[in-house]
Amino acid sequence: MGSAADRVKNPSRGSVWLDRRTPSRSRKAEQPAGLDRDRITAASVRLLDADGLAKFSMRRLAAELDVTAMSLYWYVDTKDDLLELALDTVFGEIPAAPDDAGWRDRLRALATSYRRMLVRHPWVSTLIGGFLNIGPHSMLFSYAVQDAVRATGLPLADRTGATSAVFQFVYGFGTIEGHFVQRTAEAGLTQDEYFRQAMGTIRADPELSRMMRPSESLMEARGGDTVEEMRERDFVFALDLLIAGIEAMRERAERHA
């Protein structure tokens, strides 16, 4: 179960975390000393952060580790195995929510940490959903989310919907934010510089400026002196709306119980 051939043939039925086979390769003297799966995975995350998903390859990873590409296949079967391992590793950056906090604070803490992880690693959003995502760190995050949602008091049938409302919102928000941060870095600009240049381009075009005019009052009312401050206000308010919605739906369920 979970062999490389299975994963290539039908990715939905396999995962590196389901591979329970006894390793078929035995270590040889020429294998690089100190090379192991954890070191390979850490290097994969560094490369993905630096160069992105499109440029990631076993050859580039081998050069980063100063080993031959074939050496890597003693520890993983496919590049997808490495991507799945890297994905789970960055989920390990999400700290546990405080045990003594109420469900609202736990949801806020988990949502905020999830957003930050997505922004730090823009390649992650492309991979989520492409794998079963059942590694140990991913599962701990999932359990923490389920525990917080369970504490809301929502009926059992409504809990997956509440989870989706909060964390698919965070996924979308963090993905767009991460791509914007990445784009500004590639342009050699701060986020504020990039935003000012983009707005200047729009305002210089009469047609675009006319279309944008109704939105300018909204942007002024949004508040915040920087892009990060504006974005933070939006995120906090949107999360408050979702939490208020959970409270309202729980109260409605209690009235109709």
Side-chain angles (χ1 to χ4, degrees):
M1 178 168 67
S3 70
D6 290 340
R7 292 194 290 279
V8 170
K9 207 169 170 185
N10 188 351
S12 69
R13 292 180 62 85
S15 165
V16 68
W17 301 106
L18 296 175
D19 194 343
R20 299 288 187 260
R21 295 170 302 148
T22 302
S24 59
R25 305 179 180 98
S26 58
R27 182 176 172 81
K28 292 184 177 179
E30 63 266 23
Q31 284 302 106
L35 191 65
D36 58 29
R37 183 177 272 192
D38 288 344
R39 186 183 167 203
I40 293 169
T41 303
S44 299
V45 172
R46 289 197 303 273
L47 273 183
L48 287 162
D49 287 345
D51 300 332
L53 192 57
K55 294 182 179 178
F56 182 76
S57 69
M58 299 294 267
R59 188 177 298 277
R60 289 172 72 89
L61 177 60
E64 171 76 8
L65 290 164
D66 195 25
V67 299
T68 66
M70 288 306 298
S71 299
L72 302 176
Y73 290 104
W74 288 71
Y75 303 94
V76 293
D77 287 323
T78 67
K79 185 176 82 169
D80 276 0
D81 286 355
L82 277 177
L83 294 176
E84 194 174 4
L85 290 166
L87 177 61
D88 187 67
T89 293
V90 297
F91 266 89
E93 298 174 5
I94 300 175
D99 292 334
D100 57 348
W103 67 265
R104 298 165 190 80
D105 289 337
R106 279 187 282 160
L107 269 186
R108 285 192 181 96
L110 291 166
T112 299
S113 297
Y114 183 38
R115 169 196 169 195
R116 289 172 180 163
M117 185 271 282
L118 289 166
V119 174
R120 278 194 301 271
H121 309 290
W123 50 272
V124 165
S125 59
T126 304
L127 297 183
I128 291 175
F131 296 102
L132 293 180
N133 215 20
I134 54 172
H137 295 116
S138 300
M139 294 301 290
L140 281 174
F141 175 69
S142 178
Y143 294 150
V145 169
Q146 289 177 43
D147 191 55
V149 173
R150 186 182 305 114
T152 65
L154 282 170
L156 191 62
D158 296 337
R159 292 176 192 170
T160 54
T163 302
S164 295
V166 174
F167 288 93
Q168 290 192 31
F169 151 69
V170 179
Y171 170 84
F173 195 101
T175 296
I176 293 170
E177 181 181 3
H179 289 173
F180 182 80
V181 171
Q182 184 180 44
R183 181 68 180 270
T184 58
E186 289 170 352
L189 300 170
T190 67
Q191 293 184 60
D192 295 325
E193 289 169 341
Y194 189 95
F195 179 74
R196 283 194 296 270
Q197 287 191 17
M199 292 305 297
T201 300
I202 291 170
R203 288 175 178 137
D205 184 295
E207 182 63 20
L208 289 176
S209 181
R210 183 185 65 78
M211 294 171 63
M212 187 68 180
R213 199 168 298 125
S215 301
E216 293 204 358
S217 59
L218 286 175
M219 295 179 68
E220 288 173 7
R222 184 187 200 186
D225 296 325
T226 67
V227 169
E228 289 188 11
E229 288 174 358
M230 290 186 288
R231 190 188 294 122
E232 187 66 21
R233 284 173 63 93
D234 286 347
F235 181 81
V236 170
F237 184 70
L239 193 52
D240 283 346
L241 282 177
L242 291 168
I243 288 173
I246 290 172
E247 291 173 329
M249 295 302 287
R250 182 201 61 209
E251 290 169 5
R252 188 175 78 170
E254 288 172 350
R255 287 196 303 269
H256 290 84

